Amino acid sequence: MLSRTLRSGPALTELGFGAAQLGNLYRPTGDAEAREAVDAAWDAGIRYFDTAPHYGLGLSERRLGEALRDRPRDEFVLSTKVGRLLVASGYPEGTMDDGGFAVPATLRREWDLSRDGVRRSVEESLERLGLDRIDIAYLHDPDDHGEQAHAEAIPALIELREEGVVGAVGAGMNQSAMPAEFVDRHDVDVIMLAGRYTLLEQGALDDLMPLAAERGVGIVAAAVYNSGLLSKPRPAADATYDYGPAPAEVMARANAIADVCEEFGLTLPEAAVAFPLRHPAVVSVVVGMRTADQVAGTVARYGAEIPEAFWQALSERRLVRDA
């Protein structure tokens, strides 16, 4: 599988393994099923794996670390996130997590973007992962904490990078405006951008993408199916977009793109995986994968041959914006 290199050194495979599902996102996943998914990704050539403490209250980190522990450490890139610490919840026994993950709420998430909180988060992630280092550390969804993110959290990550504790630093968010500020004001290496530079939505071309290309900051494109809307050859009538019901105009554009896909013998998800990689700043597309079958399907989509005429047709019909 092809790789693209960050300016700070790590080379990321163009397709990355998103491990939120290993934290029981929306529904339980067994230990064996989770391990089989990581093994299948490795066998397919994927060498970039992304997780976070938020995913299953640490379950994703523990499962991913266990699955990678016996792999040659220099052969894969691992990223996790900071900003939310996991602390004892004090909830009654049997209480389940209310953050979208099917796990017992023995822990709860506590926002902490202070220097000490960032350092503690990295230390605790290393313990859960059981690995010797973190290759990329992202500040996770600091939307409501912009001032502290700029003043403390991002500088703390840069300090950890300079100490050699982590390899590269940046932020992971569902918006492009604040990450553009991070790129403009701080010496970050990479931004994980979820849902804002996809086959369906290119708003990040107004701020983050040109700035990242200019500064040499890598973009990891996540949520490329826009909450599932682009995950099937034809959007379902009840498809979701941005974690809610898809508006009529969004559904119409998705169906129009699907029409062009059919004209060229392609599928909507194949185009969705391929589109972000056309931008020079994008270094990887991260897709959440729960099972070995999902890995196989995603790898097949990544491997689809897409002619330049297809992209030209989308541009001419004003269905996508040119990078």
Side-chain angles (χ1 to χ4, degrees), residues 71-91:
R71 307 287 187 182
R73 186 61 187 87
D74 291 337
E75 292 187 14
F76 66 88
V77 172
L78 180 131
S79 60
T80 192
K81 305 177 182 76
V82 305
R84 281 172 276 199
L85 296 173
L86 302 180
V87 300
S89 69
Y91 298 150

PDB file of all heavy atoms in Angstrom, residues 71-91:
ATOM      1  N   ARG A  71       3.807  -6.725  16.856  1.00  0.00           N
ATOM      2  CA  ARG A  71       4.223  -6.297  15.515  1.00  0.00           C
ATOM      3  C   ARG A  71       5.525  -5.496  15.623  1.00  0.00           C
ATOM      4  O   ARG A  71       5.757  -4.832  16.640  1.00  0.00           O
ATOM      5  CB  ARG A  71       3.145  -5.417  14.871  1.00  0.00           C
ATOM      6  CG  ARG A  71       1.750  -6.030  14.858  1.00  0.00           C
ATOM      7  CD  ARG A  71       1.624  -7.148  13.861  1.00  0.00           C
ATOM      8  NE  ARG A  71       0.241  -7.623  13.749  1.00  0.00           N
ATOM      9  CZ  ARG A  71      -0.138  -8.620  12.963  1.00  0.00           C
ATOM     10  NH1 ARG A  71       0.748  -9.247  12.210  1.00  0.00           N
ATOM     11  NH2 ARG A  71      -1.405  -8.992  12.910  1.00  0.00           N
ATOM     12  N   PRO A  72       6.354  -5.515  14.596  1.00  0.00           N
ATOM     13  CA  PRO A  72       7.577  -4.692  14.618  1.00  0.00           C
ATOM     14  C   PRO A  72       7.222  -3.222  14.796  1.00  0.00           C
ATOM     15  O   PRO A  72       6.505  -2.658  13.973  1.00  0.00           O
ATOM     16  CB  PRO A  72       8.214  -4.965  13.251  1.00  0.00           C
ATOM     17  CG  PRO A  72       7.664  -6.296  12.827  1.00  0.00           C
ATOM     18  CD  PRO A  72       6.272  -6.344  13.369  1.00  0.00           C
ATOM     19  N   ARG A  73       7.718  -2.613  15.868  1.00  0.00           N
ATOM     20  CA  ARG A  73       7.262  -1.264  16.227  1.00  0.00           C
ATOM     21  C   ARG A  73       7.598  -0.213  15.167  1.00  0.00           C
ATOM     22  O   ARG A  73       6.880   0.777  15.008  1.00  0.00           O
ATOM     23  CB  ARG A  73       7.858  -0.850  17.578  1.00  0.00           C
ATOM     24  CG  ARG A  73       7.310   0.504  18.086  1.00  0.00           C
ATOM     25  CD  ARG A  73       5.817   0.439  18.279  1.00  0.00           C
ATOM     26  NE  ARG A  73       5.204   1.732  18.599  1.00  0.00           N
ATOM     27  CZ  ARG A  73       4.787   2.621  17.711  1.00  0.00           C
ATOM     28  NH1 ARG A  73       4.906   2.353  16.413  1.00  0.00           N
ATOM     29  NH2 ARG A  73       4.242   3.745  18.077  1.00  0.00           N
ATOM     30  N   ASP A  74       8.674  -0.394  14.457  1.00  0.00           N
ATOM     31  CA  ASP A  74       9.050   0.590  13.447  1.00  0.00           C
ATOM     32  C   ASP A  74       8.273   0.448  12.148  1.00  0.00           C
ATOM     33  O   ASP A  74       8.471   1.227  11.217  1.00  0.00           O
ATOM     34  CB  ASP A  74      10.549   0.495  13.146  1.00  0.00           C
ATOM     35  CG  ASP A  74      11.396   0.960  14.322  1.00  0.00           C
ATOM     36  OD1 ASP A  74      10.877   1.732  15.145  1.00  0.00           O
ATOM     37  OD2 ASP A  74      12.573   0.553  14.410  1.00  0.00           O
ATOM     38  N   GLU A  75       7.375  -0.547  12.072  1.00  0.00           N
ATOM     39  CA  GLU A  75       6.648  -0.797  10.832  1.00  0.00           C
ATOM     40  C   GLU A  75       5.231  -0.222  10.819  1.00  0.00           C
ATOM     41  O   GLU A  75       4.521  -0.372   9.827  1.00  0.00           O
ATOM     42  CB  GLU A  75       6.603  -2.302  10.540  1.00  0.00           C
ATOM     43  CG  GLU A  75       7.965  -2.887  10.201  1.00  0.00           C
ATOM     44  CD  GLU A  75       7.881  -4.335   9.757  1.00  0.00           C
ATOM     45  OE1 GLU A  75       6.759  -4.798   9.455  1.00  0.00           O
ATOM     46  OE2 GLU A  75       8.936  -5.002   9.731  1.00  0.00           O
ATOM     47  N   PHE A  76       4.812   0.411  11.917  1.00  0.00           N
ATOM     48  CA  PHE A  76       3.474   1.003  11.904  1.00  0.00           C
ATOM     49  C   PHE A  76       3.492   2.355  12.608  1.00  0.00           C
ATOM     50  O   PHE A  76       4.390   2.664  13.393  1.00  0.00           O
ATOM     51  CB  PHE A  76       2.433   0.072  12.536  1.00  0.00           C
ATOM     52  CG  PHE A  76       2.605  -0.184  14.012  1.00  0.00           C
ATOM     53  CD1 PHE A  76       2.030   0.647  14.961  1.00  0.00           C
ATOM     54  CD2 PHE A  76       3.330  -1.295  14.456  1.00  0.00           C
ATOM     55  CE1 PHE A  76       2.175   0.393  16.315  1.00  0.00           C
ATOM     56  CE2 PHE A  76       3.481  -1.554  15.809  1.00  0.00           C
ATOM     57  CZ  PHE A  76       2.907  -0.708  16.742  1.00  0.00           C
ATOM     58  N   VAL A  77       2.482   3.163  12.263  1.00  0.00           N
ATOM     59  CA  VAL A  77       2.287   4.478  12.867  1.00  0.00           C
ATOM     60  C   VAL A  77       1.003   4.434  13.681  1.00  0.00           C
ATOM     61  O   VAL A  77      -0.041   3.983  13.193  1.00  0.00           O
ATOM     62  CB  VAL A  77       2.190   5.568  11.775  1.00  0.00           C
ATOM     63  CG1 VAL A  77       1.798   6.913  12.390  1.00  0.00           C
ATOM     64  CG2 VAL A  77       3.503   5.687  11.023  1.00  0.00           C
ATOM     65  N   LEU A  78       1.083   4.899  14.920  1.00  0.00           N
ATOM     66  CA  LEU A  78      -0.071   4.894  15.807  1.00  0.00           C
ATOM     67  C   LEU A  78      -0.357   6.310  16.292  1.00  0.00           C
ATOM     68  O   LEU A  78       0.548   7.024  16.721  1.00  0.00           O
ATOM     69  CB  LEU A  78       0.165   3.981  17.006  1.00  0.00           C
ATOM     70  CG  LEU A  78      -1.030   3.951  17.978  1.00  0.00           C
ATOM     71  CD1 LEU A  78      -1.421   2.533  18.324  1.00  0.00           C
ATOM     72  CD2 LEU A  78      -0.743   4.773  19.237  1.00  0.00           C
ATOM     73  N   SER A  79      -1.616   6.698  16.210  1.00  0.00           N
ATOM     74  CA  SER A  79      -2.018   7.994  16.752  1.00  0.00           C
ATOM     75  C   SER A  79      -3.107   7.809  17.792  1.00  0.00           C
ATOM     76  O   SER A  79      -3.938   6.905  17.699  1.00  0.00           O
ATOM     77  CB  SER A  79      -2.515   8.923  15.638  1.00  0.00           C
ATOM     78  OG  SER A  79      -3.638   8.389  14.965  1.00  0.00           O
ATOM     79  N   THR A  80      -3.072   8.681  18.809  1.00  0.00           N
ATOM     80  CA  THR A  80      -4.156   8.761  19.780  1.00  0.00           C
ATOM     81  C   THR A  80      -4.371  10.227  20.107  1.00  0.00           C
ATOM     82  O   THR A  80      -3.792  11.100  19.454  1.00  0.00           O
ATOM     83  CB  THR A  80      -3.889   7.894  21.022  1.00  0.00           C
ATOM     84  OG1 THR A  80      -5.093   7.800  21.801  1.00  0.00           O
ATOM     85  CG2 THR A  80      -2.761   8.453  21.870  1.00  0.00           C
ATOM     86  N   LYS A  81      -5.200  10.515  21.095  1.00  0.00           N
ATOM     87  CA  LYS A  81      -5.648  11.879  21.279  1.00  0.00           C
ATOM     88  C   LYS A  81      -5.607  12.296  22.747  1.00  0.00           C
ATOM     89  O   LYS A  81      -5.587  11.446  23.639  1.00  0.00           O
ATOM     90  CB  LYS A  81      -7.054  12.033  20.694  1.00  0.00           C
ATOM     91  CG  LYS A  81      -7.110  11.590  19.220  1.00  0.00           C
ATOM     92  CD  LYS A  81      -8.498  11.656  18.640  1.00  0.00           C
ATOM     93  CE  LYS A  81      -8.499  11.163  17.188  1.00  0.00           C
ATOM     94  NZ  LYS A  81      -8.410   9.682  17.112  1.00  0.00           N
ATOM     95  N   VAL A  82      -5.600  13.598  22.956  1.00  0.00           N
ATOM     96  CA  VAL A  82      -5.590  14.173  24.305  1.00  0.00           C
ATOM     97  C   VAL A  82      -6.710  15.196  24.412  1.00  0.00           C
ATOM     98  O   VAL A  82      -7.277  15.629  23.417  1.00  0.00           O
ATOM     99  CB  VAL A  82      -4.235  14.840  24.628  1.00  0.00           C
ATOM    100  CG1 VAL A  82      -3.086  13.864  24.428  1.00  0.00           C
ATOM    101  CG2 VAL A  82      -4.019  16.093  23.758  1.00  0.00           C
ATOM    102  N   GLY A  83      -7.007  15.597  25.646  1.00  0.00           N
ATOM    103  CA  GLY A  83      -8.031  16.606  25.887  1.00  0.00           C
ATOM    104  C   GLY A  83      -9.098  16.156  26.855  1.00  0.00           C
ATOM    105  O   GLY A  83      -9.711  16.972  27.550  1.00  0.00           O
ATOM    106  N   ARG A  84      -9.343  14.835  26.899  1.00  0.00           N
ATOM    107  CA  ARG A  84     -10.316  14.276  27.829  1.00  0.00           C
ATOM    108  C   ARG A  84      -9.645  13.162  28.624  1.00  0.00           C
ATOM    109  O   ARG A  84      -9.243  12.147  28.058  1.00  0.00           O
ATOM    110  CB  ARG A  84     -11.534  13.736  27.086  1.00  0.00           C
ATOM    111  CG  ARG A  84     -12.507  14.802  26.663  1.00  0.00           C
ATOM    112  CD  ARG A  84     -13.609  14.279  25.771  1.00  0.00           C
ATOM    113  NE  ARG A  84     -13.189  14.222  24.370  1.00  0.00           N
ATOM    114  CZ  ARG A  84     -14.027  14.156  23.341  1.00  0.00           C
ATOM    115  NH1 ARG A  84     -15.324  14.124  23.556  1.00  0.00           N
ATOM    116  NH2 ARG A  84     -13.584  14.115  22.107  1.00  0.00           N
ATOM    117  N   LEU A  85      -9.523  13.369  29.934  1.00  0.00           N
ATOM    118  CA  LEU A  85      -8.981  12.333  30.795  1.00  0.00           C
ATOM    119  C   LEU A  85     -10.085  11.362  31.203  1.00  0.00           C
ATOM    120  O   LEU A  85     -11.271  11.708  31.202  1.00  0.00           O
ATOM    121  CB  LEU A  85      -8.373  12.961  32.048  1.00  0.00           C
ATOM    122  CG  LEU A  85      -7.159  13.872  31.837  1.00  0.00           C
ATOM    123  CD1 LEU A  85      -6.773  14.548  33.148  1.00  0.00           C
ATOM    124  CD2 LEU A  85      -5.986  13.097  31.267  1.00  0.00           C
ATOM    125  N   LEU A  86      -9.693  10.145  31.541  1.00  0.00           N
ATOM    126  CA  LEU A  86     -10.631   9.145  32.040  1.00  0.00           C
ATOM    127  C   LEU A  86     -10.447   9.025  33.543  1.00  0.00           C
ATOM    128  O   LEU A  86      -9.355   8.710  34.022  1.00  0.00           O
ATOM    129  CB  LEU A  86     -10.382   7.796  31.353  1.00  0.00           C
ATOM    130  CG  LEU A  86     -10.491   7.790  29.824  1.00  0.00           C
ATOM    131  CD1 LEU A  86     -10.229   6.388  29.282  1.00  0.00           C
ATOM    132  CD2 LEU A  86     -11.854   8.296  29.363  1.00  0.00           C
ATOM    133  N   VAL A  87     -11.513   9.295  34.283  1.00  0.00           N
ATOM    134  CA  VAL A  87     -11.460   9.257  35.749  1.00  0.00           C
ATOM    135  C   VAL A  87     -12.586   8.375  36.262  1.00  0.00           C
ATOM    136  O   VAL A  87     -13.563   8.097  35.549  1.00  0.00           O
ATOM    137  CB  VAL A  87     -11.577  10.678  36.340  1.00  0.00           C
ATOM    138  CG1 VAL A  87     -10.434  11.559  35.838  1.00  0.00           C
ATOM    139  CG2 VAL A  87     -12.916  11.311  36.005  1.00  0.00           C
ATOM    140  N   ALA A  88     -12.456   7.932  37.507  1.00  0.00           N
ATOM    141  CA  ALA A  88     -13.492   7.087  38.109  1.00  0.00           C
ATOM    142  C   ALA A  88     -14.831   7.824  38.080  1.00  0.00           C
ATOM    143  O   ALA A  88     -14.924   9.003  38.422  1.00  0.00           O
ATOM    144  CB  ALA A  88     -13.114   6.727  39.537  1.00  0.00           C
ATOM    145  N   SER A  89     -15.874   7.119  37.658  1.00  0.00           N
ATOM    146  CA  SER A  89     -17.164   7.783  37.457  1.00  0.00           C
ATOM    147  C   SER A  89     -17.973   7.927  38.743  1.00  0.00           C
ATOM    148  O   SER A  89     -18.686   8.909  38.933  1.00  0.00           O
ATOM    149  CB  SER A  89     -17.984   7.016  36.421  1.00  0.00           C
ATOM    150  OG  SER A  89     -18.396   5.754  36.948  1.00  0.00           O
ATOM    151  N   GLY A  90     -17.900   6.916  39.616  1.00  0.00           N
ATOM    152  CA  GLY A  90     -18.749   6.923  40.797  1.00  0.00           C
ATOM    153  C   GLY A  90     -20.197   6.616  40.497  1.00  0.00           C
ATOM    154  O   GLY A  90     -21.062   6.725  41.367  1.00  0.00           O
ATOM    155  N   TYR A  91     -20.510   6.194  39.263  1.00  0.00           N
ATOM    156  CA  TYR A  91     -21.884   5.885  38.877  1.00  0.00           C
ATOM    157  C   TYR A  91     -22.294   4.537  39.475  1.00  0.00           C
ATOM    158  O   TYR A  91     -21.446   3.674  39.726  1.00  0.00           O
ATOM    159  CB  TYR A  91     -22.035   5.840  37.364  1.00  0.00           C
ATOM    160  CG  TYR A  91     -21.745   7.151  36.662  1.00  0.00           C
ATOM    161  CD1 TYR A  91     -21.231   7.158  35.364  1.00  0.00           C
ATOM    162  CD2 TYR A  91     -21.979   8.371  37.279  1.00  0.00           C
ATOM    163  CE1 TYR A  91     -20.956   8.359  34.706  1.00  0.00           C
ATOM    164  CE2 TYR A  91     -21.717   9.566  36.637  1.00  0.00           C
ATOM    165  CZ  TYR A  91     -21.202   9.561  35.354  1.00  0.00           C
ATOM    166  OH  TYR A  91     -20.937  10.738  34.711  1.00  0.00           O
TER     167      TYR A  91
END
